[in-house]
Amino acid sequence: MSSSAPIRYEQAMDRYRLSGSANWKCDEGVALNPTAKVGAPPWRFQHFAGLALFVASSLSSCVDPWVHVQQQCAQVTTMVAAFRPYRRRRISALEARAMALGILHRAEEGRERLAQKEAERGINWEEMS
Amino acid sequence: MIYDYPVLNAPIRQGDVFVGLPRVEVSLRSIQVLEKDGQIAECEWREIAQDREEITAIFPLRSVTAIVATQDCDASRARDITLCEIRSFRDVDRKSQNTTSAKSWKNIITQHARINQKWFYLPPDDQIGFHNKMAVDFMVTLRVPRDELEELRDLRKGRLNEVADEHFRERIAEFFRRYPYDEWYPLNSEELQAYTSEYPGTQAFHWQETEADS
């Protein structure tokens, strides 16, 4: 993953939310519920859902000079800030699979909801015919 | 209809339709990470971003039909190819869910297409495998390695012909050139009133307030 836009890391969690270069908008309707059962995915053209492993690089391969400068400036003012400690929660393979499929279904449901909302606006083409 | 059927070794071009490519879904709130000890852990993306490490993670994906959006010059040499997902037209444009008459379809395909820039209409075609009216959803994109997609050119079932390809090129460019604006800005007081009755909470511009006062 690469980004040429500034990504602020050194910000106190109790005052700011870390933000990337864009307005991060998570998939709609995401709610962490690792114990939820996942129903069969809707069939469209007989496709199937699968899980895949990806190697994700968390940052660009080269250092953004802007980020480097920001971090130097931020160090003095944010070293004493209270950071929310991150903890990775260990989960089973089955839980991971359920979570991943839940993400997929919620993303698709989010798109359907948006399409429905947009359809409720605008011209009714049936009435015009 | 509006499609050509290139030979297997034809170069990948904008407008090529592939059936069966992976569309990955990512949640920034929940990443399933494969740890070095082989265990799986869940965390938020911001933690990974802050740690600045390469990670291996699990992401869900679905096999979808998609059309090449990358322009030809890039499609021949770029590392990645970007595609947009193709789905049933009635799913992409819900307004057409109950549309049946030819006149309504005519209105949607010709006039509505000029208004709604978020999709591109694709008619049915048995050779490609489109049994219903379809649409390219510009909002849903995939990215795959070019050289690997070239190895899977047997998944390419057709491409847009010259007329459709030119239209597609212009439409996708228009989609990404959109910018947000308040559509009620040119309405007079009467028209604004009608707009506000449908969309309460609309904030009039100062020139509209001035007109209302006068």
PDB file of all heavy atoms in Angstrom, chain B residues 173-199:
ATOM      1  N   ALA B 173     -14.822   8.369 -17.186  1.00  0.00           N
ATOM      2  CA  ALA B 173     -14.070   9.590 -16.909  1.00  0.00           C
ATOM      3  C   ALA B 173     -14.979  10.620 -16.237  1.00  0.00           C
ATOM      4  O   ALA B 173     -14.582  11.288 -15.279  1.00  0.00           O
ATOM      5  CB  ALA B 173     -13.489  10.157 -18.209  1.00  0.00           C
ATOM      6  N   GLU B 174     -16.209  10.723 -16.732  1.00  0.00           N
ATOM      7  CA  GLU B 174     -17.170  11.654 -16.125  1.00  0.00           C
ATOM      8  C   GLU B 174     -17.436  11.279 -14.681  1.00  0.00           C
ATOM      9  O   GLU B 174     -17.565  12.139 -13.821  1.00  0.00           O
ATOM     10  CB  GLU B 174     -18.505  11.590 -16.881  1.00  0.00           C
ATOM     11  CG  GLU B 174     -18.564  12.418 -18.147  1.00  0.00           C
ATOM     12  CD  GLU B 174     -19.848  12.135 -18.917  1.00  0.00           C
ATOM     13  OE1 GLU B 174     -20.887  11.912 -18.244  1.00  0.00           O
ATOM     14  OE2 GLU B 174     -19.809  12.117 -20.148  1.00  0.00           O
ATOM     15  N   PHE B 175     -17.543   9.984 -14.421  1.00  0.00           N
ATOM     16  CA  PHE B 175     -17.833   9.530 -13.063  1.00  0.00           C
ATOM     17  C   PHE B 175     -16.788  10.044 -12.084  1.00  0.00           C
ATOM     18  O   PHE B 175     -17.109  10.516 -10.990  1.00  0.00           O
ATOM     19  CB  PHE B 175     -17.899   8.006 -13.023  1.00  0.00           C
ATOM     20  CG  PHE B 175     -18.031   7.446 -11.637  1.00  0.00           C
ATOM     21  CD1 PHE B 175     -19.234   7.534 -10.951  1.00  0.00           C
ATOM     22  CD2 PHE B 175     -16.962   6.833 -11.006  1.00  0.00           C
ATOM     23  CE1 PHE B 175     -19.367   7.030  -9.667  1.00  0.00           C
ATOM     24  CE2 PHE B 175     -17.089   6.320  -9.726  1.00  0.00           C
ATOM     25  CZ  PHE B 175     -18.291   6.426  -9.059  1.00  0.00           C
ATOM     26  N   PHE B 176     -15.547   9.951 -12.477  1.00  0.00           N
ATOM     27  CA  PHE B 176     -14.486  10.353 -11.557  1.00  0.00           C
ATOM     28  C   PHE B 176     -14.230  11.857 -11.579  1.00  0.00           C
ATOM     29  O   PHE B 176     -13.426  12.358 -10.789  1.00  0.00           O
ATOM     30  CB  PHE B 176     -13.195   9.577 -11.873  1.00  0.00           C
ATOM     31  CG  PHE B 176     -13.265   8.150 -11.430  1.00  0.00           C
ATOM     32  CD1 PHE B 176     -13.404   7.122 -12.351  1.00  0.00           C
ATOM     33  CD2 PHE B 176     -13.211   7.826 -10.087  1.00  0.00           C
ATOM     34  CE1 PHE B 176     -13.490   5.798 -11.938  1.00  0.00           C
ATOM     35  CE2 PHE B 176     -13.288   6.507  -9.665  1.00  0.00           C
ATOM     36  CZ  PHE B 176     -13.436   5.486 -10.594  1.00  0.00           C
ATOM     37  N   ARG B 177     -14.930  12.559 -12.464  1.00  0.00           N
ATOM     38  CA  ARG B 177     -14.788  14.011 -12.480  1.00  0.00           C
ATOM     39  C   ARG B 177     -15.942  14.701 -11.744  1.00  0.00           C
ATOM     40  O   ARG B 177     -15.993  15.917 -11.681  1.00  0.00           O
ATOM     41  CB  ARG B 177     -14.746  14.520 -13.927  1.00  0.00           C
ATOM     42  CG  ARG B 177     -13.441  14.239 -14.637  1.00  0.00           C
ATOM     43  CD  ARG B 177     -13.311  15.031 -15.921  1.00  0.00           C
ATOM     44  NE  ARG B 177     -13.152  16.449 -15.640  1.00  0.00           N
ATOM     45  CZ  ARG B 177     -14.038  17.377 -15.967  1.00  0.00           C
ATOM     46  NH1 ARG B 177     -15.184  17.040 -16.552  1.00  0.00           N
ATOM     47  NH2 ARG B 177     -13.818  18.643 -15.686  1.00  0.00           N
ATOM     48  N   ARG B 178     -16.867  13.908 -11.188  1.00  0.00           N
ATOM     49  CA  ARG B 178     -17.971  14.525 -10.468  1.00  0.00           C
ATOM     50  C   ARG B 178     -17.448  15.264  -9.244  1.00  0.00           C
ATOM     51  O   ARG B 178     -16.414  14.916  -8.685  1.00  0.00           O
ATOM     52  CB  ARG B 178     -18.966  13.455  -9.999  1.00  0.00           C
ATOM     53  CG  ARG B 178     -19.682  12.744 -11.117  1.00  0.00           C
ATOM     54  CD  ARG B 178     -20.524  11.615 -10.569  1.00  0.00           C
ATOM     55  NE  ARG B 178     -19.764  10.756  -9.693  1.00  0.00           N
ATOM     56  CZ  ARG B 178     -20.259  10.160  -8.617  1.00  0.00           C
ATOM     57  NH1 ARG B 178     -21.506  10.328  -8.271  1.00  0.00           N
ATOM     58  NH2 ARG B 178     -19.499   9.388  -7.877  1.00  0.00           N
ATOM     59  N   TYR B 179     -18.201  16.261  -8.851  1.00  0.00           N
ATOM     60  CA  TYR B 179     -17.843  16.963  -7.627  1.00  0.00           C
ATOM     61  C   TYR B 179     -19.148  17.297  -6.903  1.00  0.00           C
ATOM     62  O   TYR B 179     -20.198  17.443  -7.532  1.00  0.00           O
ATOM     63  CB  TYR B 179     -17.036  18.224  -7.935  1.00  0.00           C
ATOM     64  CG  TYR B 179     -17.851  19.325  -8.572  1.00  0.00           C
ATOM     65  CD1 TYR B 179     -18.342  20.383  -7.825  1.00  0.00           C
ATOM     66  CD2 TYR B 179     -18.135  19.289  -9.943  1.00  0.00           C
ATOM     67  CE1 TYR B 179     -19.113  21.376  -8.407  1.00  0.00           C
ATOM     68  CE2 TYR B 179     -18.899  20.272 -10.529  1.00  0.00           C
ATOM     69  CZ  TYR B 179     -19.381  21.319  -9.761  1.00  0.00           C
ATOM     70  OH  TYR B 179     -20.136  22.281 -10.345  1.00  0.00           O
ATOM     71  N   PRO B 180     -19.079  17.384  -5.582  1.00  0.00           N
ATOM     72  CA  PRO B 180     -20.310  17.612  -4.835  1.00  0.00           C
ATOM     73  C   PRO B 180     -20.776  19.061  -4.929  1.00  0.00           C
ATOM     74  O   PRO B 180     -19.971  19.971  -4.816  1.00  0.00           O
ATOM     75  CB  PRO B 180     -19.913  17.262  -3.392  1.00  0.00           C
ATOM     76  CG  PRO B 180     -18.447  17.509  -3.344  1.00  0.00           C
ATOM     77  CD  PRO B 180     -17.906  17.230  -4.713  1.00  0.00           C
ATOM     78  N   TYR B 181     -22.048  19.238  -5.166  1.00  0.00           N
ATOM     79  CA  TYR B 181     -22.599  20.589  -5.146  1.00  0.00           C
ATOM     80  C   TYR B 181     -24.030  20.498  -4.634  1.00  0.00           C
ATOM     81  O   TYR B 181     -24.659  19.441  -4.702  1.00  0.00           O
ATOM     82  CB  TYR B 181     -22.551  21.240  -6.531  1.00  0.00           C
ATOM     83  CG  TYR B 181     -23.482  20.623  -7.553  1.00  0.00           C
ATOM     84  CD1 TYR B 181     -24.737  21.175  -7.815  1.00  0.00           C
ATOM     85  CD2 TYR B 181     -23.116  19.475  -8.253  1.00  0.00           C
ATOM     86  CE1 TYR B 181     -25.586  20.602  -8.738  1.00  0.00           C
ATOM     87  CE2 TYR B 181     -23.959  18.895  -9.173  1.00  0.00           C
ATOM     88  CZ  TYR B 181     -25.195  19.460  -9.416  1.00  0.00           C
ATOM     89  OH  TYR B 181     -26.030  18.879 -10.322  1.00  0.00           O
ATOM     90  N   ASP B 182     -24.516  21.595  -4.121  1.00  0.00           N
ATOM     91  CA  ASP B 182     -25.883  21.638  -3.602  1.00  0.00           C
ATOM     92  C   ASP B 182     -26.824  21.931  -4.766  1.00  0.00           C
ATOM     93  O   ASP B 182     -26.917  23.057  -5.253  1.00  0.00           O
ATOM     94  CB  ASP B 182     -25.989  22.712  -2.508  1.00  0.00           C
ATOM     95  CG  ASP B 182     -25.132  22.360  -1.314  1.00  0.00           C
ATOM     96  OD1 ASP B 182     -24.979  21.157  -1.038  1.00  0.00           O
ATOM     97  OD2 ASP B 182     -24.601  23.279  -0.666  1.00  0.00           O
ATOM     98  N   GLU B 183     -27.545  20.935  -5.171  1.00  0.00           N
ATOM     99  CA  GLU B 183     -28.320  21.009  -6.418  1.00  0.00           C
ATOM    100  C   GLU B 183     -29.420  22.045  -6.388  1.00  0.00           C
ATOM    101  O   GLU B 183     -29.951  22.439  -7.431  1.00  0.00           O
ATOM    102  CB  GLU B 183     -28.924  19.638  -6.728  1.00  0.00           C
ATOM    103  CG  GLU B 183     -29.845  19.127  -5.634  1.00  0.00           C
ATOM    104  CD  GLU B 183     -30.282  17.689  -5.878  1.00  0.00           C
ATOM    105  OE1 GLU B 183     -29.839  17.089  -6.876  1.00  0.00           O
ATOM    106  OE2 GLU B 183     -31.075  17.176  -5.073  1.00  0.00           O
ATOM    107  N   TRP B 184     -29.793  22.518  -5.226  1.00  0.00           N
ATOM    108  CA  TRP B 184     -30.889  23.469  -5.143  1.00  0.00           C
ATOM    109  C   TRP B 184     -30.441  24.917  -5.347  1.00  0.00           C
ATOM    110  O   TRP B 184     -31.256  25.832  -5.301  1.00  0.00           O
ATOM    111  CB  TRP B 184     -31.593  23.320  -3.789  1.00  0.00           C
ATOM    112  CG  TRP B 184     -30.724  23.625  -2.600  1.00  0.00           C
ATOM    113  CD1 TRP B 184     -30.498  24.831  -2.027  1.00  0.00           C
ATOM    114  CD2 TRP B 184     -29.959  22.680  -1.842  1.00  0.00           C
ATOM    115  NE1 TRP B 184     -29.658  24.708  -0.972  1.00  0.00           N
ATOM    116  CE2 TRP B 184     -29.291  23.394  -0.821  1.00  0.00           C
ATOM    117  CE3 TRP B 184     -29.763  21.305  -1.917  1.00  0.00           C
ATOM    118  CZ2 TRP B 184     -28.452  22.783   0.111  1.00  0.00           C
ATOM    119  CZ3 TRP B 184     -28.932  20.690  -0.988  1.00  0.00           C
ATOM    120  CH2 TRP B 184     -28.275  21.435  -0.006  1.00  0.00           C
ATOM    121  N   TYR B 185     -29.173  25.115  -5.644  1.00  0.00           N
ATOM    122  CA  TYR B 185     -28.668  26.486  -5.647  1.00  0.00           C
ATOM    123  C   TYR B 185     -29.345  27.394  -6.676  1.00  0.00           C
ATOM    124  O   TYR B 185     -29.455  28.590  -6.479  1.00  0.00           O
ATOM    125  CB  TYR B 185     -27.142  26.517  -5.803  1.00  0.00           C
ATOM    126  CG  TYR B 185     -26.617  26.305  -7.204  1.00  0.00           C
ATOM    127  CD1 TYR B 185     -26.413  27.370  -8.073  1.00  0.00           C
ATOM    128  CD2 TYR B 185     -26.322  25.027  -7.664  1.00  0.00           C
ATOM    129  CE1 TYR B 185     -25.940  27.168  -9.356  1.00  0.00           C
ATOM    130  CE2 TYR B 185     -25.853  24.813  -8.940  1.00  0.00           C
ATOM    131  CZ  TYR B 185     -25.665  25.875  -9.788  1.00  0.00           C
ATOM    132  OH  TYR B 185     -25.200  25.660 -11.056  1.00  0.00           O
ATOM    133  N   PRO B 186     -29.829  26.878  -7.847  1.00  0.00           N
ATOM    134  CA  PRO B 186     -30.417  27.802  -8.814  1.00  0.00           C
ATOM    135  C   PRO B 186     -31.936  27.921  -8.729  1.00  0.00           C
ATOM    136  O   PRO B 186     -32.556  28.545  -9.583  1.00  0.00           O
ATOM    137  CB  PRO B 186     -30.021  27.166 -10.156  1.00  0.00           C
ATOM    138  CG  PRO B 186     -29.966  25.710  -9.893  1.00  0.00           C
ATOM    139  CD  PRO B 186     -29.692  25.512  -8.430  1.00  0.00           C
ATOM    140  N   LEU B 187     -32.510  27.356  -7.687  1.00  0.00           N
ATOM    141  CA  LEU B 187     -33.979  27.360  -7.617  1.00  0.00           C
ATOM    142  C   LEU B 187     -34.488  28.708  -7.127  1.00  0.00           C
ATOM    143  O   LEU B 187     -33.877  29.338  -6.259  1.00  0.00           O
ATOM    144  CB  LEU B 187     -34.466  26.247  -6.673  1.00  0.00           C
ATOM    145  CG  LEU B 187     -34.058  24.816  -7.044  1.00  0.00           C
ATOM    146  CD1 LEU B 187     -34.602  23.822  -6.027  1.00  0.00           C
ATOM    147  CD2 LEU B 187     -34.544  24.462  -8.442  1.00  0.00           C
ATOM    148  N   ASN B 188     -35.645  29.137  -7.696  1.00  0.00           N
ATOM    149  CA  ASN B 188     -36.258  30.355  -7.169  1.00  0.00           C
ATOM    150  C   ASN B 188     -37.025  29.988  -5.891  1.00  0.00           C
ATOM    151  O   ASN B 188     -37.077  28.818  -5.502  1.00  0.00           O
ATOM    152  CB  ASN B 188     -37.156  31.015  -8.219  1.00  0.00           C
ATOM    153  CG  ASN B 188     -38.320  30.133  -8.632  1.00  0.00           C
ATOM    154  OD1 ASN B 188     -38.763  29.255  -7.884  1.00  0.00           O
ATOM    155  ND2 ASN B 188     -38.837  30.352  -9.829  1.00  0.00           N
ATOM    156  N   SER B 189     -37.676  30.969  -5.286  1.00  0.00           N
ATOM    157  CA  SER B 189     -38.259  30.731  -3.954  1.00  0.00           C
ATOM    158  C   SER B 189     -39.357  29.676  -4.011  1.00  0.00           C
ATOM    159  O   SER B 189     -39.477  28.830  -3.130  1.00  0.00           O
ATOM    160  CB  SER B 189     -38.798  32.037  -3.367  1.00  0.00           C
ATOM    161  OG  SER B 189     -39.698  32.634  -4.262  1.00  0.00           O
ATOM    162  N   GLU B 190     -40.140  29.729  -5.088  1.00  0.00           N
ATOM    163  CA  GLU B 190     -41.229  28.753  -5.207  1.00  0.00           C
ATOM    164  C   GLU B 190     -40.672  27.343  -5.411  1.00  0.00           C
ATOM    165  O   GLU B 190     -41.122  26.372  -4.797  1.00  0.00           O
ATOM    166  CB  GLU B 190     -42.087  29.145  -6.405  1.00  0.00           C
ATOM    167  CG  GLU B 190     -43.529  28.653  -6.316  1.00  0.00           C
ATOM    168  CD  GLU B 190     -44.320  29.103  -7.530  1.00  0.00           C
ATOM    169  OE1 GLU B 190     -44.202  30.300  -7.879  1.00  0.00           O
ATOM    170  OE2 GLU B 190     -44.998  28.262  -8.132  1.00  0.00           O
ATOM    171  N   GLU B 191     -39.697  27.269  -6.273  1.00  0.00           N
ATOM    172  CA  GLU B 191     -39.070  25.967  -6.550  1.00  0.00           C
ATOM    173  C   GLU B 191     -38.338  25.449  -5.324  1.00  0.00           C
ATOM    174  O   GLU B 191     -38.366  24.254  -5.020  1.00  0.00           O
ATOM    175  CB  GLU B 191     -38.104  26.104  -7.735  1.00  0.00           C
ATOM    176  CG  GLU B 191     -38.784  26.401  -9.064  1.00  0.00           C
ATOM    177  CD  GLU B 191     -37.838  27.029 -10.086  1.00  0.00           C
ATOM    178  OE1 GLU B 191     -36.685  27.380  -9.711  1.00  0.00           O
ATOM    179  OE2 GLU B 191     -38.256  27.201 -11.242  1.00  0.00           O
ATOM    180  N   LEU B 192     -37.717  26.361  -4.593  1.00  0.00           N
ATOM    181  CA  LEU B 192     -36.996  25.950  -3.389  1.00  0.00           C
ATOM    182  C   LEU B 192     -37.965  25.436  -2.341  1.00  0.00           C
ATOM    183  O   LEU B 192     -37.677  24.490  -1.616  1.00  0.00           O
ATOM    184  CB  LEU B 192     -36.176  27.126  -2.833  1.00  0.00           C
ATOM    185  CG  LEU B 192     -35.318  26.813  -1.607  1.00  0.00           C
ATOM    186  CD1 LEU B 192     -34.262  25.766  -1.933  1.00  0.00           C
ATOM    187  CD2 LEU B 192     -34.655  28.088  -1.097  1.00  0.00           C
ATOM    188  N   GLN B 193     -39.103  26.052  -2.287  1.00  0.00           N
ATOM    189  CA  GLN B 193     -40.119  25.601  -1.346  1.00  0.00           C
ATOM    190  C   GLN B 193     -40.539  24.166  -1.677  1.00  0.00           C
ATOM    191  O   GLN B 193     -40.688  23.318  -0.795  1.00  0.00           O
ATOM    192  CB  GLN B 193     -41.331  26.536  -1.427  1.00  0.00           C
ATOM    193  CG  GLN B 193     -42.220  26.486  -0.192  1.00  0.00           C
ATOM    194  CD  GLN B 193     -43.295  27.547  -0.241  1.00  0.00           C
ATOM    195  OE1 GLN B 193     -43.507  28.196  -1.266  1.00  0.00           O
ATOM    196  NE2 GLN B 193     -43.993  27.731   0.855  1.00  0.00           N
ATOM    197  N   ALA B 194     -40.744  23.929  -2.969  1.00  0.00           N
ATOM    198  CA  ALA B 194     -41.108  22.575  -3.384  1.00  0.00           C
ATOM    199  C   ALA B 194     -39.981  21.595  -3.061  1.00  0.00           C
ATOM    200  O   ALA B 194     -40.214  20.461  -2.640  1.00  0.00           O
ATOM    201  CB  ALA B 194     -41.401  22.552  -4.886  1.00  0.00           C
ATOM    202  N   TYR B 195     -38.753  22.028  -3.223  1.00  0.00           N
ATOM    203  CA  TYR B 195     -37.600  21.163  -2.942  1.00  0.00           C
ATOM    204  C   TYR B 195     -37.525  20.863  -1.452  1.00  0.00           C
ATOM    205  O   TYR B 195     -37.335  19.720  -1.036  1.00  0.00           O
ATOM    206  CB  TYR B 195     -36.321  21.856  -3.416  1.00  0.00           C
ATOM    207  CG  TYR B 195     -35.093  20.971  -3.322  1.00  0.00           C
ATOM    208  CD1 TYR B 195     -34.683  20.194  -4.403  1.00  0.00           C
ATOM    209  CD2 TYR B 195     -34.341  20.906  -2.147  1.00  0.00           C
ATOM    210  CE1 TYR B 195     -33.560  19.387  -4.328  1.00  0.00           C
ATOM    211  CE2 TYR B 195     -33.223  20.095  -2.061  1.00  0.00           C
ATOM    212  CZ  TYR B 195     -32.836  19.345  -3.152  1.00  0.00           C
ATOM    213  OH  TYR B 195     -31.723  18.532  -3.066  1.00  0.00           O
ATOM    214  N   THR B 196     -37.716  21.911  -0.662  1.00  0.00           N
ATOM    215  CA  THR B 196     -37.601  21.754   0.796  1.00  0.00           C
ATOM    216  C   THR B 196     -38.708  20.867   1.358  1.00  0.00           C
ATOM    217  O   THR B 196     -38.507  20.175   2.359  1.00  0.00           O
ATOM    218  CB  THR B 196     -37.634  23.130   1.480  1.00  0.00           C
ATOM    219  OG1 THR B 196     -36.660  23.978   0.851  1.00  0.00           O
ATOM    220  CG2 THR B 196     -37.310  23.027   2.950  1.00  0.00           C
ATOM    221  N   SER B 197     -39.869  20.894   0.711  1.00  0.00           N
ATOM    222  CA  SER B 197     -40.955  20.039   1.203  1.00  0.00           C
ATOM    223  C   SER B 197     -40.592  18.571   1.027  1.00  0.00           C
ATOM    224  O   SER B 197     -41.012  17.709   1.783  1.00  0.00           O
ATOM    225  CB  SER B 197     -42.252  20.348   0.444  1.00  0.00           C
ATOM    226  OG  SER B 197     -42.114  19.974  -0.916  1.00  0.00           O
ATOM    227  N   GLU B 198     -39.750  18.302   0.031  1.00  0.00           N
ATOM    228  CA  GLU B 198     -39.306  16.924  -0.182  1.00  0.00           C
ATOM    229  C   GLU B 198     -38.046  16.618   0.616  1.00  0.00           C
ATOM    230  O   GLU B 198     -37.842  15.488   1.047  1.00  0.00           O
ATOM    231  CB  GLU B 198     -39.036  16.713  -1.677  1.00  0.00           C
ATOM    232  CG  GLU B 198     -38.946  15.243  -2.078  1.00  0.00           C
ATOM    233  CD  GLU B 198     -38.781  15.056  -3.573  1.00  0.00           C
ATOM    234  OE1 GLU B 198     -39.132  16.010  -4.324  1.00  0.00           O
ATOM    235  OE2 GLU B 198     -38.317  13.997  -3.989  1.00  0.00           O
ATOM    236  N   TYR B 199     -37.211  17.601   0.774  1.00  0.00           N
ATOM    237  CA  TYR B 199     -35.956  17.421   1.516  1.00  0.00           C
ATOM    238  C   TYR B 199     -35.884  18.442   2.629  1.00  0.00           C
ATOM    239  O   TYR B 199     -35.218  19.481   2.492  1.00  0.00           O
ATOM    240  CB  TYR B 199     -34.754  17.537   0.579  1.00  0.00           C
ATOM    241  CG  TYR B 199     -34.811  16.568  -0.575  1.00  0.00           C
ATOM    242  CD1 TYR B 199     -35.104  16.999  -1.868  1.00  0.00           C
ATOM    243  CD2 TYR B 199     -34.602  15.207  -0.374  1.00  0.00           C
ATOM    244  CE1 TYR B 199     -35.177  16.101  -2.924  1.00  0.00           C
ATOM    245  CE2 TYR B 199     -34.671  14.307  -1.429  1.00  0.00           C
ATOM    246  CZ  TYR B 199     -34.964  14.762  -2.702  1.00  0.00           C
ATOM    247  OH  TYR B 199     -35.041  13.877  -3.747  1.00  0.00           O
TER     248      TYR B 199
END
